[in-house]
Every structure is written in structure tokens, then in C-alpha cells.
Amino acid sequence: MTVPRKIGLIAACALGGLMASPAFAQEPAPAPTRQELAGKPWMNTHLSAAERTQLVLKEMTQEEKLRLVMGYFGTDLDGKHYKRPKESLHQSAGFVYGIPRLGIPNQWQTDAGVGVASQRGPNVRERTSLPSGMNTAATWNPEVGFAGGAMIGAEARSSGFNEMLAGGVNLVREPRNGRNFEYGGEDPLLAGTIVGAQIKGIQSNHIISTLKHYALNDQETGRNFLNVEVDDAAARMSDLLAFQIANEQGQPGSVMCSYNRVDGIYACENPYLLNEVLKGDWGFKGFVMSDWGATHSTVQAANNGLDQQSGVPFDKSRYFGDALGEAVANGWVPQKRLDDMAGRVLYAMFEHKLIDDPVTGPKNNIDFAAHAKVTQNDAEEGMVLLKNDNALLPIKTGLKKIAIIGSHADVGVLSGGGSSQVYPVGGMAVKGLGPDSFPGPTVYFPSSPLKAIQARAGGAQVTFNDGSDPAAAARLAASSDLVIVFAHQWTAEAFDVPNLSLPDNQDALIAAVAKANPHTAVVLETGGAVLMPWLKDVGAVLEAWYPGTSGGEAIGRVLFGEVNPSGHLPITFPASEQQLPRPVLDGDPKKPELRFDVNYSEGAAVGYKWFDLKGLKPLFPFGYGLSYTSFSYDGLAAHWADGQLTVSFTIKNTGAVAGKDVAQVYVASPKGSWEAPKRLGAFQKLALKPGESRKVSVKVDPRLLAMYQSKDKTWKIAGGEYQVTVARSALDPQASVAVKLPATTVDVNGK
């Protein structure tokens, strides 16, 4: 879910003095008990969700059907223009009325992505936060994604919510995008797989997760007004493929459509995206909900595939309230379509057991200590060691003085801002930072890297300097055996960063410290890629992303080698902004209300594919990540049988310590017939003890070997010789083998 920046102004302008109460009120008659409902035919759990949906639809009035397709913001706005429904949970994202007489519960919706978020206000909800979505993608481990999803889903349920607005899978086309930290990287296979696993984990708690923001919502500048132009086949092989894979693997109950236009039509009333692709080609059976403020019509939105208007009062009107009822009565929206809209909401609620296992209100039963371990494991597996000259890390014993510099590392770790913001248990480590309105505040979780380092430093003296005075920091560095500089980049919803440089003069700070002491390690807490003009002068760089509730402890464990870093980049780090398809960000941040076009002329060549296509050398390539140990590959083989490409090889830990490696399989087409020289075809993360070897076998999805054909909606694999490579990054091949594939055609879903 997304909240516009000027909440009070938007609410006032949109609805004036209206909004004292929602359009539908709960019926005064007491709801039947579970025992009384047990005999109703739609409560028969032996029937399918589709069968139960049709049975209960027959019992519903027209007003009850309309009730299910209208959602409200769960937070008061300005205390004047809008009061939340009294049945909603305080400072929550959304609420949809149920039908108590039929056993259909309310929908209590929480913002999400990394945990149970809270809207701003006097009584924020404090919960456990996962690391950023970018960190989880950097684990390259679906099991970690599932575990994190299961944890935040459990906290959502314990908090009284039965729907999480999670599952962000927008590809990183624009590295300056303020919301990249929420997403799963630049490759459709990796992003779709990791986010799909998270969705599956969330929904294991008998609650619904969304999949968002559908589609091509790849920058925040002008997000309500921009129009994305992209070739259909290119979209199917990139952004839409990421959504398709996440949908297949996660089976979300809901899809949230985005703010932007696609080919001139708003995403939330785009018949091609919603009816043809999502519901038709992919067979999605759940419901499409709008982002908060992304509905723009009644008849067009309903007929073109939107099932639920969300977040009244952020739209200009209650399009799916009385106006929809009138449109159905007049035949502008068929009755069959309204039944389908309500039925899709019901289907998701039956399918994910919101009706059979309803939430029973907030409970005070969250095991925060256990959940902190889940998020800590996620952080540790996602941190990426980018540089480690002369084995500067892990930190050695016997040091006398260690200097810790910058980024409030004495008290906490940074998080990304906006609607996904989770407020930490025990309060913020630093107060008064960032905007005093949405998407602020800037939140640091109270997990101190300094304390984690001090606890492991033996007899070394560990001294902190806040980094505000580079000269003073350099003097401390010069008198120390080891220096660790913490650098940050706060990114958030509703704006894009102006460039990829570290803010607040941090490049000068790092340069001054590194000049004073070459034994300098830099720990980055960023939302995505940043430039590093000081890279050659420092000894080590650890990308820690936004590491979540237990981030300080996780950083300490990685720095001292208690955990061997095993994260690999889910994005490319460019060497300069001039290497990007669009060196200058489209749109004007000062005039976001102006409509403009964003042409994705790079097509499906997103991220590393663009760099390959153009022969550009990045600062760090996609898939890159160092370890405190080493690995070798042997016995690579590839064969095609029964319409399936299978790749096998053996990995061995050739170093002295245990570690995890991410083996990446890339495939290159014959005669360069794809959008780029190669594609990621499969990956596998393995934990290996020193000297241990293990054979790996992975299958490559046929869609990753094919070109999409818009005319007949098929994927066509050209016959010929393909090159299969096992690698440690997009630019670090370990072994290659050729394999001949026959000309093959599979359907729109790769079958």
C-alpha cells in the first residue's frame, strides 16, 4: 500500500468536509455463532473455494456485494476530514467490511513488505522488521524468504490483521528509485522466486498477501502521472515475467495495481494488464485491489478488471460505492461483473482460510526474541562482501584500537521509509531525523553495531566518532589499528534519490579516513547501488543494506567471522550514472503533477543484460559476492530431455572455513538471438564444510530459453547450440558447456 505525501491536503481536496462515516455500516443484528454457521452449505470445507464462493454469492444482497469491493483507510486524517471506520485497527493501512450474517469476516489490512507497519501518529505499533527486500533477494535463498514471510505473517495475525500488503516485485530498472529497497532486484527469475517464497510464507498463517505494484511502477518521481511505454514482448520477458513467476510460486490472494499508466491507460483500469494478462493468460483467481489513490473511474475500472477500490479517501471519489451500484442498475457495469468482483474477494478469503480460521483480534503473544533471530539470519545471509584486500576481514584478534565512525553506528541501523515502515520494539534509536511528514521519519532500529563489535573485540579499545568532522575522524583513524566507517543512504517511498552518490558529504569522510589509515573497512547501509569513488583506497567493503531489527548484531557477527558472508548482489552496481539506459531520471521532482512518458527502449535488457549488451564494465556485477572461504566447480553437464534443460555440476569448498556459495547458471542463445548475450537460467545456494563437495542439479524454466511471441502468446525456443555457464557472478564464469536444443514452443505459462 502507498500513502500520498500530503495526506491532510489530499483528503481535504478530494472530499471536502465529507467522510464522517463509511458508506456501509455493520448491521445491528448480532452475528451468528460459528456453530450456527456450521450447517450452511458454503461453510463445508470439503468443497473447493470456487464452489463455496458460488454458494455464498447466491445468499448475498446487492448491498453486501458492493460492501466487499470498497476499502477504507484505517487511520484518521487531520482529525477533521476523515475518521477511520471504528471497526478498523488504529493507525492501520486499510479496512474492508465483511458480512457477519454469512460468516464473512472484515478485512483488516496492514502495510508490509518487511513487517507489520504502522501509520504515523501518537501510538505507533511496534513490531519486528525483516531486512529490506533487497537484502532478502541478496540471500538468493527461497527458504530464507519463506521463513521471513512466515514470521511477519505470524506477527500480522497476532496483531489482528488478516491481510498484508506485501509482495513487492517491481524490477530495478531505475537504480535511483526510492522504493528499490522494498523489491527483489533486477532479474525476473531471482525476484519472482524470492518474493514468491515470501508471499507463500506470509499466507501460511491463513492470511492474504498481495503481489504488487502491478505493473511497471519502477520509479517514484511522477508516479501518479507518468506513462510507461514498452514493447509487449519485452515486458513479458522482464517485469511481467517477474510477476508471473511470483504469482505461480506464491499464489497470492490479491494483486495490487499501481499508480502509473501503461501505454496510456492507468494500471488500475488497464484491460490488457488486468483482464487479458493477469486473469486470462495467467489464470489468476484472486482479486485485484487498487493502490491507495490509484482508482480513477467507476465503469472503466470495473469493466477493465479492478475488483476492489482501496483506501478511501485517497481517490477523488468513492467510485465503487453508490456510483458502482448505479452503474450496475443502469447496465453500464453488468451484474455478472459485480458478482465476479465480489466473488474474487470471497474466493481469496476461502482459499486462504480467512473464513475457516478467522483472526480473533489483536493478541499479546508475539515472541519477539525468536522473531529477532529470524530477521538476523536473513540479514546475515544477505550481506554482500564486495571487497576484502589482504583478508582485512574477518577482524583479527590482538588489535589494540578499533575506530567506529559514522551513521549512528553507536546506537542503531538504518531502515527505508514510507508505507512499509516498521517501528521498532522499544522505540527509535535516534529521534527527530528526516521529514516530519510522510514518508518520514527516518528510523534507526536500536541494534547497535558498536555494541556488537565491542562485545567481540577482546581487549581492544573500541572508540566511536560520529563522522560529522572528517578531520577529527581522520585523526582517530590514524591512531587506530583498524577503522570501520559506516555509511548510509536513506531512501523512501514518494521520491527518488537525485543520484547514486552517498549523501551528506560521506564520500569525503571515507576518503579522509582511508588516507589516514589504509586498514579501513566500509559498511554500507543503503537502499540499493551507490557509487564508490574511494573504493581503491579502502581495504574492505560490506554491503549491509537495511539490515532490520537485529542488524547491528548481524553486522558484528559477519565482521568477526562468526558468520561467513554469503550474500550476492541482486542488482548491478554501475560505475557511473552515464552507464544507465537513462542517465538522467525521467520527470521533474519539482513538478510531479505533470504527465510525461517514460520509454523503456532497453526493452527486456534490464540490469546486467543491459551492461552485457552494451559491453559496459560495472563497478560490481549482478550476482557478485565474496566469501571468507573459496569454492571450485567441476563436472558441468547439460542435457535436454522431454522438453526440459537440466544442468548439473559439483561444488567443492576448497577453503579452510565453512561457507555458503551461490552457484549461478547462465545461458547464452545461438547467434545472439535474445535481447542480451545471456540470461540467468537457474541458481542454487549450498552450505558446505571445508573440503566438502556436493553435486547439484537444476532445471531451467523453458521461458528463460525462449523469446515471447505476442501474436500467438507463446514462448519459442530457437533450435541450435546454446552455451551453458556456471558462474559466481554475471562476470565470473567458472565452466561452460555447449548443448543443442530443438526448436520448441511452449504456451504462455511455459507449459
Side-chain angles (χ1 to χ4, degrees):
M1 167 271 194
T2 312
V3 179
R5 295 184 76 174
K6 297 181 180 178
I7 288 178
L9 177 61
I10 289 175
C13 292
L15 297 171
L18 198 59
M19 288 315 302
S21 61
F24 304 115
Q26 294 283 44
E27 52 258 74
T33 65
R34 300 292 296 177
Q35 290 76 13
E36 291 170 334
L37 286 166
K40 302 297 184 182
W42 61 87
M43 299 302 286
N44 182 354
T45 58
H46 296 293
L47 299 177
S48 69
E51 291 171 322
R52 298 173 72 183
T53 294
Q54 292 306 310
L55 287 170
V56 74
L57 269 176
K58 294 177 182 178
E59 303 295 323
M60 291 172 60
T61 67
Q62 191 79 331
E63 188 237 21
E64 288 170 339
K65 294 173 184 176
L66 289 167
R67 183 181 303 183
L68 291 177
V69 301
M70 172 72 81
Y72 302 88
F73 194 40
T75 303
D76 294 344
L77 296 181
D78 286 348
K80 298 179 181 179
H81 304 291
Y82 176 81
K83 290 289 185 181
R84 67 180 178 89
K86 59 181 174 53
E87 298 88 352
S88 66
L89 297 175
H90 77 277
Q91 291 171 225
S92 67
F95 175 82
V96 181
Y97 281 104
I99 308 167
R101 76 176 185 90
L102 299 177
I104 309 302
N106 301 326
Q107 293 171 59
W108 288 279
Q109 300 165 334
T110 179
D111 262 321
V114 296
V116 180
S118 179
Q119 300 299 316
R120 294 171 57 94
N123 189 23
V124 295
R125 189 176 285 101
E126 297 180 350
R127 294 294 183 265
T128 306
S129 176
L130 290 170
S132 63
M134 190 73 76
N135 180 101
T136 302
T139 70
W140 291 63
N141 190 340
E143 293 180 2
V144 170
F146 179 90
M151 183 274 284
I152 64 173
E155 288 204 1
R157 186 178 178 89
S158 294
S159 302
F161 295 103
N162 55 13
E163 197 165 330
M164 292 197 87
L165 310 178
V169 75
N170 299 86
L171 290 189
V172 179
R173 281 184 179 268
E174 173 49 72
R176 291 158 293 207
N177 179 12
R179 299 192 81 172
N180 281 340
F181 74 92
E182 298 183 39
Y183 302 145
E186 68 189 26
D187 180 80
L189 173 64
L190 177 63
T193 299
I194 298 297
V195 175
Q198 275 196 316
I199 290 171
K200 192 173 182 180
I202 290 169
Q203 294 187 154
S204 68
N205 293 280
H206 296 171
I207 65 175
I208 286 173
S209 174
T210 66
L211 174 62
K212 65 181 187 183
H213 303 92
Y214 185 72
L216 296 148
N217 183 185
D218 299 327
Q219 71 177 61
E220 291 295 281
T221 300
R223 63 183 181 176
N224 293 284
F225 302 94
L226 68 84
N227 173 52
V228 172
E229 298 176 337
V230 63
D231 176 75
D232 173 60
R236 291 276 197 159
M237 295 187 293
S238 56
D239 301 68
L240 293 184
L241 182 57
F243 277 96
Q244 188 176 14
I245 292 171
N247 175 60
E248 291 167 355
Q249 299 193 17
Q251 295 291 297
S254 175
V255 167
M256 181 187 290
C257 51
S258 55
Y259 287 124
N260 53 290
R261 294 177 175 92
V262 177
D263 292 331
I265 304 173
Y266 281 113
C268 287
E269 53 187 47
N270 191 307
Y272 179 72
L273 286 177
L274 302 183
N275 284 338
E276 189 170 340
V277 177
L278 179 65
K279 296 178 179 179
D281 297 342
W282 301 348
F284 177 68
K285 297 180 180 179
F287 64 100
V288 177
M289 65 191 306
S290 63
D291 207 336
W292 274 227
T295 306
H296 297 276
S297 66
T298 297
V299 174
Q300 189 169 336
N303 286 337
N304 290 350
L306 181 64
D307 300 307
Q308 187 181 80
Q309 179 184 6
S310 307
V312 167
F314 291 111
D315 297 310
K316 292 186 180 301
S317 179
R318 297 181 182 182
Y319 296 109
F320 281 12
D322 292 339
L324 179 58
E326 183 179 2
V328 175
N330 290 333
W332 295 106
V333 175
Q335 179 66 47
K336 183 178 180 180
R337 173 61 187 130
L338 176 60
D339 291 350
D340 178 58
M341 293 162 69
R344 286 177 171 275
V345 176
L346 291 167
Y347 175 88
M349 296 177 80
F350 278 120
E351 180 70 13
H352 297 289
K353 303 189 185 305
L354 274 68
I355 294 169
D356 300 325
D357 186 18
V359 297
T360 55
K363 301 177 183 296
N364 188 25
N365 64 345
I366 297 174
D367 188 342
F368 288 111
H371 289 183
K373 293 296 184 183
V374 174
T375 183
Q376 179 179 314
N377 181 66
D378 192 325
E380 291 168 356
E381 281 218 23
M383 292 182 189
V384 183
L385 185 61
L386 296 175
K387 182 178 182 181
N388 194 26
D389 285 356
N390 302 314
L392 184 63
L393 299 176
I395 297 173
K396 311 300 187 292
T397 59
L399 300 180
K400 294 181 179 180
K401 292 187 67 176
I402 301 174
I404 309 299
I405 297 172
S407 300
H408 303 287
D410 56 329
V411 292
V413 291
L414 185 60
S415 63
S419 61
S420 65
Q421 183 67 67
V422 176
Y423 287 84
V425 176
M428 295 185 288
V430 187
K431 296 182 179 180
L433 296 179
D436 57 8
S437 61
F438 189 86
T442 300
V443 175
Y444 278 80
F445 294 122
S447 180
S448 165
L450 174 65
K451 291 181 180 178
I453 292 167
Q454 288 173 329
R456 295 166 169 81
Q461 176 187 350
V462 183
T463 305
F464 177 75
N465 178 283
D466 66 9
S468 59
D469 180 350
R475 287 193 295 271
L476 174 62
S479 65
S480 302
D481 299 313
L482 174 69
V483 186
I484 305 173
V485 181
F486 284 77
H488 65 271
Q489 173 209 47
W490 185 66
T491 60
E493 179 185 349
F495 71 91
D496 299 317
V497 295
N499 52 60
L500 297 180
S501 297
L502 289 170
D504 305 326
N505 204 34
Q506 292 177 94
D507 287 332
L509 169 66
I510 297 170
V513 168
K515 184 177 181 181
N517 190 335
H519 300 295
T520 294
V522 177
V523 176
L524 295 168
E525 297 175 45
T526 71
V530 293
L531 304 179
M532 304 179 201
W534 34 261
L535 181 62
K536 68 181 186 304
D537 300 318
V538 301
V541 181
L542 178 68
E543 175 60 79
W545 314 106
Y546 301 146
T549 289
S550 299
E553 183 71 7
I555 289 170
R557 281 166 52 82
V558 170
L559 289 177
F560 279 86
E562 293 175 27
V563 173
N564 192 341
S566 62
H568 285 247
L569 292 180
I571 54 174
T572 302
F573 275 46
S576 76
E577 286 146 13
Q578 294 306 309
Q579 293 182 325
L580 302 177
R582 285 165 295 283
V584 177
L585 183 72
D586 286 299
D588 185 349
K590 297 179 180 179
K591 297 179 181 179
E593 72 282 357
L594 297 180
R595 177 175 173 174
F596 59 95
D597 295 329
V598 179
N599 188 295
Y600 289 155
S601 58
E602 73 275 20
V606 180
Y608 68 94
K609 297 175 185 177
W610 169 261
F611 280 74
D612 280 355
L613 182 65
K614 298 298 181 179
L616 301 171
K617 183 179 179 181
L619 186 65
F620 293 106
F622 173 81
Y624 179 85
L626 302 177
S627 172
Y628 295 151
T629 190
S630 57
F631 301 92
S632 67
Y633 295 78
D634 190 28
L636 176 64
H639 70 276
W640 175 271
D642 301 322
Q644 180 71 64
L645 176 62
T646 302
V647 181
S648 61
F649 48 90
T650 298
I651 308 178
K652 183 177 182 179
N653 182 343
T654 56
V657 296
K660 296 179 180 179
D661 190 37
V662 176
Q664 302 157 43
V665 173
Y666 294 90
V667 184
S669 65
K671 301 178 182 178
S673 58
W674 290 344
E675 75 282 356
K678 64 177 181 289
R679 297 172 178 169
L680 178 69
F683 61 90
Q684 180 75 54
K685 191 167 193 177
L686 287 178
L688 297 170
K689 298 175 183 177
E692 181 182 5
S693 61
R694 194 179 309 175
K695 187 171 183 178
V696 175
S697 179
V698 294
K699 297 183 183 301
V700 179
D701 189 312
R703 291 170 293 190
L704 300 173
L705 302 169
M707 293 291 286
Y708 184 77
Q709 310 298 310
S710 296
K711 185 176 181 179
D712 60 2
K713 294 189 176 184
T714 59
W715 296 84
K716 292 189 182 298
I717 301 174
E721 187 173 275
Y722 289 70
Q723 198 76 11
V724 176
T725 301
V726 61
R728 299 204 69 241
S729 81
L731 293 181
D732 189 10
Q734 300 295 302
S736 295
V737 66
V739 59
K740 288 187 177 180
L741 304 185
T744 306
T745 299
V746 295
D747 68 16
V748 71
N749 294 304
K751 307 297 184 183

